[in-house]
Amino acid sequence: MYQIIASRSTEEHGVDSLDVELFADYHQIHLSDDGSAGDLSEAWTDQAVVDRLAVVDDAMAIGTSVNVTVAVRVEVLDAPPAADLADYDHVVEGSMQVRSGRIVVMGCTDYEPDAVRVPVPVGPVRVRAASSNLAEAERLGVDSDEAPQTMERLRVQVWPAPREEPVVLKRWVGESGLRQDR
């Protein structure tokens, strides 16, 4: 289940940004090529859990600190974004193949036919997932989604780029148990 908060688009590039609230059931948000049959269950290795990113060919799951509603902003870009790591607690990047020209953005247990779809370039894309407000969200746990000030926030940026291995650009070192590097 999702609620679109705001969107901004241009005729030339489709959706530039979309703000949505998604239920992060099982501590994850999913992105996939529209029509993907990608199975993420095997992608959740011990390292993927620590990194908060599980990736298969045409889908990925982004780990969250909480198992409640999170605020998600999706931004579609023409080129890699500037590095603004200081504003975020945890930042990861991964690649996926988009054949349909749309990605599905949803909570892990959302009903896929009803999920939000965002136009993106066809071909390989890079995705940067930047999480913020993690200390407050973790502190409140199941109550973190009761106010915008305490809700976990996730910014997802997508741009065309050759496939590369996933990478953690900044690791959260909070109380979530994600301290260990493997």
Side-chain angles (χ1 to χ4, degrees):
M1 185 65 147
Y2 68 91
Q3 177 181 359
I4 294 178
I5 306 303
S7 66
R8 184 180 59 126
S9 63
T10 64
E11 190 172 305
E12 182 179 331
H13 297 290
V15 174
D16 289 328
S17 69
L18 173 74
D19 293 309
V20 62
E21 291 182 356
L22 296 170
F23 181 61
D25 205 7
Y26 296 98
H27 296 268
Q28 54 191 291
I29 297 297
H30 287 195
L31 305 177
S32 63
D33 183 25
D34 196 0
S36 166
D39 181 4
L40 289 159
S41 60
E42 297 293 318
W44 278 116
T45 63
D46 289 344
Q47 187 63 50
V49 170
V50 170
D51 293 346
R52 296 180 176 221
L53 185 66
V55 179
V56 295
D57 175 58
D58 62 354
M60 66 177 58
I62 301 163
T64 64
S65 286
V66 295
N67 190 35
V68 293
T69 301
V70 298
V72 179
R73 167 169 274 201
V74 179
E75 298 175 353
V76 180
L77 310 169
D78 294 328
D84 57 355
L85 303 181
D87 296 335
Y88 297 92
D89 301 318
H90 188 84
V91 183
V92 294
E93 283 186 8
S95 296
M96 61 185 272
Q97 185 67 36
V98 177
R99 293 171 182 87
S100 69
R102 291 173 308 281
I103 57 169
V104 177
V105 182
M106 60 188 267
C108 169
T109 57
D110 286 348
Y111 183 57
E112 188 268 339
D114 292 341
V116 65
R117 282 155 171 78
V118 178
V120 299
V122 171
V125 297
R126 191 74 173 163
V127 176
R128 180 178 295 166
S131 302
S132 63
N133 208 34
L134 298 185
E136 191 64 6
E138 285 184 3
R139 183 182 71 77
L140 289 176
V142 297
D143 296 324
S144 66
D145 64 352
E146 291 183 6
Q149 303 86 339
T150 58
M151 187 178 284
E152 180 172 342
R153 291 184 288 279
L154 176 64
R155 182 184 67 186
V156 176
Q157 296 171 302
V158 181
W159 67 93
R163 186 178 256 332
E164 293 183 40
E165 290 298 312
V167 63
V168 177
L169 300 175
K170 182 176 182 180
R171 188 173 300 279
W172 170 241
V173 292
E175 299 303 317
S176 64
L178 297 177
R179 293 173 187 243
Q180 20 347 13
D181 286 319
R182 296 182 191 243

